[in-house]
Amino acid sequence: MAHSLPFTKGHGTGNDFVIVADPDGELALTDDQVAVLCDRRFGVGGDGILRVVRSRAIPEGADAAAAGAEWFMDYRNADGSAAEMCGNGIRVFARYLTEYGLAEIGTAPVGIGTRAGVKSLTRTPDGFEVDLGAWTVDESDLLVQARGLSVARPGLGIDVGNPHAVVALSGDEELTGLDLAYQPVLHPAPPHGANVEFVVPADPLVRAGVGAIRMRVFERGVGETLSCGTGVAAAALAVRHWAGAAAPDDWEVEVPGGTLRVRMRDGRVLLAGPATLVYTGELTLA
């Protein structure tokens, strides 16, 4: 049975999302429906879907509700698969909550539930900053093959609530020469897949105490995107790890869709940048 579905389109540095409000958890989107909504030719188009639901109204939100987080970000990739976390998505989610009067987010942190736990957000002059929490580094042997690279390159595993493999390239020529229309292949393959980030350090790497890198990303379940918030954090963490003890704790990361800021504080990583709502609409969902 077809029914009407209001939606909002939003993005964070070009990483775009279809946002649907379902406060009481009454909407059950199938993987195929999500894929159609995210299709750029046959649907609205987006890298994923953000379902705005109260934590108490979704089984995965029980812990978030107990921790006092009213809202839960039910994030689905463009292929319909559920994802643990989305750094750009949660800032767009916060923008939606504030624009529609569902929450007030200012200088005091506000918790939002995700499959990677409750994430705290604060407002910044250009958007929002999210505390992604602690991270882990996996230095196990990992090789990454990608079209445009003549040989497989070593990758560094970084987990910031979801899994990433970060690959250092020699320069801008290699970065622009990548063909990310094809999914990179990881050896060994992570059990749940991983987002893959390709990074090039700036020259000089550090300016006025702030590190700088450029990045492109292939997101699992999506493909190449203009930006990936958790991927930006993972890339900065990887370059900081490689650079050693003298590396800075503040970074600027340039992605095709813009620039995001990353801070490391007391064993936690924070991501900041813009979040924009573009338009609203209504469609008939079969």
Side-chain angles (χ1 to χ4, degrees), residues 81-219:
S81 58
E84 302 92 342
M85 177 55 191
C86 180
N88 286 320
I90 200 166
R91 297 195 328 277
V92 174
F93 191 94
R95 176 69 71 190
Y96 184 92
L97 293 180
T98 57
E99 290 294 316
Y100 285 88
L102 301 175
E104 290 187 15
I105 302 177
T107 56
V110 172
I112 293 174
T114 75
R115 291 184 177 86
V118 176
K119 305 301 178 183
S120 296
L121 286 98
T122 55
R123 189 181 286 272
T124 64
D126 67 339
F128 298 90
E129 182 176 64
V130 54
D131 182 346
L132 296 174
W135 69 90
T136 58
V137 178
D138 183 356
E139 296 189 81
S140 303
D141 290 340
L142 175 67
L143 289 176
V144 179
Q145 290 178 299
R147 183 163 292 204
L149 297 180
S150 57
V151 296
R153 302 296 174 85
L156 181 67
I158 300 281
D159 194 297
V160 288
N162 59 354
H164 297 263
V166 184
V167 180
L169 300 181
S170 62
D172 289 340
E173 185 175 348
E174 279 198 333
L175 187 66
T176 56
L178 288 172
D179 185 354
L180 294 184
Y182 297 86
Q183 182 171 355
V185 178
L186 279 59
H187 303 280
H192 303 294
N195 298 339
V196 185
E197 289 79 32
F198 298 90
V199 299
V200 172
D203 185 17
L205 175 63
V206 181
R207 303 184 183 99
V210 179
I213 59 177
R214 291 185 61 211
M215 183 193 94
R216 289 176 65 189
V217 58
F218 188 100
E219 288 197 59

Side-chain angles (χ1 to χ4, degrees), residues 60-87:
E60 299 98 314
D63 290 342
E70 180 179 4
W71 295 101
F72 188 94
M73 180 183 72
D74 178 17
Y75 175 61
R76 308 268 291 277
N77 292 315
D79 65 356
S81 58
E84 302 92 342
M85 177 55 191
C86 180

Side-chain angles (χ1 to χ4, degrees), residues 212-236:
I213 59 177
R214 291 185 61 211
M215 183 193 94
R216 289 176 65 189
V217 58
F218 188 100
E219 288 197 59
R220 60 176 180 166
V222 185
E224 183 176 16
T225 58
L226 294 180
S227 179
C228 171
T230 55
V232 161

